[in-house]
Amino acid sequence: MITTVSFAQKIKTGAENYTAYLPLLKGKTIGMVTNQTGIIDTKTHLVDFLVQKNIKIKTIFAPEHGFRGTADAGEHVSDEIDSKTGLSITSLYGKNNKPTPEQLKGIDIMVFDLQDVGTRLYTYVSTMHRIMEACAENNVPLIVLDRPNPNIGIVDGPVLDIAFKSGIGMHPTPLLHGMTLGEEAKMINGQKWLKDGIQCKLTVIPCLNYTRSMAYSLPVRPSPNLPNDQSINLYVSLCLFEGTNVSMGRGTEKQFQIYGSPYLPKSDFAFTPKPNFGDKDPLYNGVECNGEDLSAIPRINKLEIKWLIKAYQTTADKSKFFDKRKFSIRAGNEKLQQQIEAGISEQEIRNSWKEGLQDFKKMRKKYLIYREK
């Protein structure tokens, strides 16, 4: 059940819980991992806030999509200078995905503030893992400023088989894990998932007035192709299509709210992808795609695989539907593709996840920060 939050109970993010972390930063030289989602009170960027508080920032480390969040998914992000503050920005997406000892030199404390969407496929958790590892190796304390998970009430999907570990899945968690990044940081440390079992000196600054039953609407899009609450809710269910020949709406104004391809049967809905802010060269650029519009459906509370199954069953040539490598690293195993190809029912597929989900929920309990209600 989702509850609404009154003004008096307004959720405060970790960044807005500044009385808890500003004393830790006074007189220190800090590094920051953040992007356009690192804001306070929906308008002030955390970097600007800290500069105003005379906190010395040496370097901003930027994840996928860059510091301002404008780069396409998977697009190389280069190093640069922030025009507003003059601070140097170091990209953590591309060849340099983990700070080097030289880049950490002179940094007393690292501050991490990114908005996640609650799925292992989103690359910000991988960025956090590498930051934790670099901090542990170079004896730099890490402060994670926590933010709500807009899909925190959903724990669902297959748990990653570590044989399929990648930048979009580094940990044995389900596709939807129902944790904040602060909780995940505690879990990564506690489970000793960093290289050689090392642990970093971690402080998580929690959100205030927040419980696991609260809805949370993101004030800023977390990446170019997640424009609204509907796309964030449907993201992981439709992201599995990235391992197939089906478009999930990149190159339209309804990214991750529609799906279709030229190989699906004609219906009462079609769309034609074209280059836009979210994708400069979308799949099926200029080609009409037949499919389904999900932009107005009620909020879902599970990993939804019925659209994937339906698309496979109705595609013109099933042998060309899956890209085995791309699909396996997104699903976290080879089994899901095999189950769909074998015609296994949706319920049977879900049943095959149960044991892994139960074990995961039991393991994660000790790392949870926020209560149920």
Side-chain angles (χ1 to χ4, degrees):
M1 181 179 178
I2 297 295
T3 58
T4 56
V5 185
S6 71
F7 182 77
Q9 297 173 309
K10 179 182 178 294
I11 295 169
K12 288 191 174 184
T13 65
E16 291 165 337
N17 187 7
Y18 45 81
T19 57
Y21 65 86
L22 279 179
L24 305 177
L25 305 182
K26 290 291 183 183
K28 305 291 186 181
T29 298
I30 71 168
M32 293 197 64
V33 184
T34 189
N35 63 4
Q36 80 286 352
T37 65
I39 57 171
I40 293 174
D41 295 328
T42 73
K43 56 183 182 295
T44 303
H45 197 283
L46 178 63
V47 168
D48 300 327
F49 172 76
L50 292 178
V51 168
Q52 290 165 11
K53 294 293 181 181
N54 296 313
I55 302 299
K56 185 180 178 183
I57 302 172
K58 182 178 184 286
T59 307
I60 299 167
F61 294 93
E64 183 182 11
H65 309 298
F67 178 52
R68 298 298 176 187
T70 55
D72 287 356
E75 183 180 0
H76 175 72
V77 178
S78 60
D79 296 349
E80 55 187 325
I81 300 292
D82 180 42
S83 58
K84 186 171 183 179
T85 62
L87 293 168
S88 66
I89 300 171
T90 298
S91 171
L92 291 178
Y93 196 75
K95 290 182 180 178
N96 179 49
N97 60 20
K98 174 181 168 182
T100 64
E102 184 62 30
Q103 290 168 342
L104 292 176
K105 199 170 182 179
I107 291 176
D108 299 316
I109 297 176
M110 185 73 82
V111 177
F112 184 100
D113 184 27
L114 293 174
Q115 175 64 64
D116 194 47
V117 297
T119 168
R120 72 162 188 256
L121 296 181
Y122 216 54
T123 59
Y124 296 167
V125 68
S126 300
T127 297
M128 184 174 71
H129 176 109
R130 295 181 183 115
I131 289 291
M132 291 176 70
E133 200 164 83
C135 286
E137 291 169 343
N138 293 277
N139 198 30
V140 176
L142 174 66
I143 297 176
V144 173
L145 305 181
D146 210 8
R147 289 184 177 269
N149 172 358
N151 289 309
I152 199 164
I154 314 174
V155 182
D156 200 15
V159 171
L160 174 78
D161 176 345
I162 211 67
F164 295 91
K165 179 179 177 179
S166 73
I168 53 172
M170 298 186 77
H171 311 121
T173 65
L175 276 167
L176 286 154
H177 48 65
M179 302 178 78
T180 65
L181 279 180
E183 292 172 331
E184 282 201 274
K186 289 177 62 181
M187 184 168 66
I188 291 168
N189 233 18
Q191 294 300 120
K192 298 186 176 180
W193 286 340
L194 301 179
K195 186 173 66 176
D196 300 325
I198 58 175
Q199 293 175 299
C200 78
K201 186 178 179 183
L202 174 69
T203 300
V204 176
I205 304 299
C207 304
L208 300 177
N209 309 320
Y210 181 53
T211 71
R212 311 190 86 76
S213 58
M214 287 178 175
Y216 183 71
S217 182
L218 272 57
V220 176
R221 67 169 72 187
S223 51
N225 285 295
L226 292 181
N228 53 33
D229 292 343
Q230 186 76 342
S231 63
I232 289 166
N233 180 229
L234 293 172
Y235 168 72
V236 68
S237 296
L238 296 191
C239 200
L240 289 172
F241 278 124
E242 292 195 312
T244 73
N245 65 1
V246 175
S247 162
M248 71 300 299
R250 291 185 188 273
T252 75
E253 296 306 308
K254 291 185 177 181
Q255 306 100 316
F256 290 98
Q257 299 157 82
I258 58 179
Y259 72 89
S261 88
Y263 309 110
L264 293 179
K266 284 192 175 294
S267 63
D268 56 1
F269 176 74
F271 62 92
T272 303
K274 296 178 181 178
N276 68 356
F277 168 74
D279 198 330
K280 297 180 181 67
D281 185 24
L283 180 66
Y284 302 128
N285 185 1
V287 179
E288 185 176 82
C289 297
N290 305 306
E292 197 167 356
D293 185 352
L294 309 173
S295 61
I297 68 167
R299 180 179 175 84
I300 61 173
N301 61 2
K302 62 183 177 181
L303 176 68
E304 191 58 85
I305 58 172
K306 66 181 180 183
W307 304 308
L308 179 66
I309 293 170
K310 177 182 176 182
Y312 175 76
Q313 290 176 342
T314 59
T315 193
D317 184 349
K318 291 180 174 57
S319 69
K320 296 179 179 178
F321 185 81
F322 284 107
D323 179 316
K324 185 177 180 180
R325 186 191 68 82
K326 287 183 177 180
F327 189 80
S328 295
I329 64 170
R330 284 162 176 78
N333 60 52
E334 289 181 331
K335 189 175 181 180
L336 182 56
Q337 177 180 338
Q338 293 166 353
Q339 289 171 320
I340 292 171
E341 289 176 332
I344 303 298
S345 72
E346 179 183 344
Q347 191 54 55
E348 286 179 279
I349 293 173
R350 290 189 179 281
N351 288 342
S352 71
W353 304 339
K354 281 184 177 180
E355 185 177 348
L357 285 171
Q358 288 170 353
D359 290 344
F360 172 74
K361 287 178 181 178
K362 184 177 179 181
M363 180 270 288
R364 77 173 192 149
K365 273 186 180 180
K366 57 187 170 184
Y367 304 116
L368 300 184
I369 299 170
Y370 309 100
R371 57 188 175 87
E372 291 297 330
K373 291 183 180 179

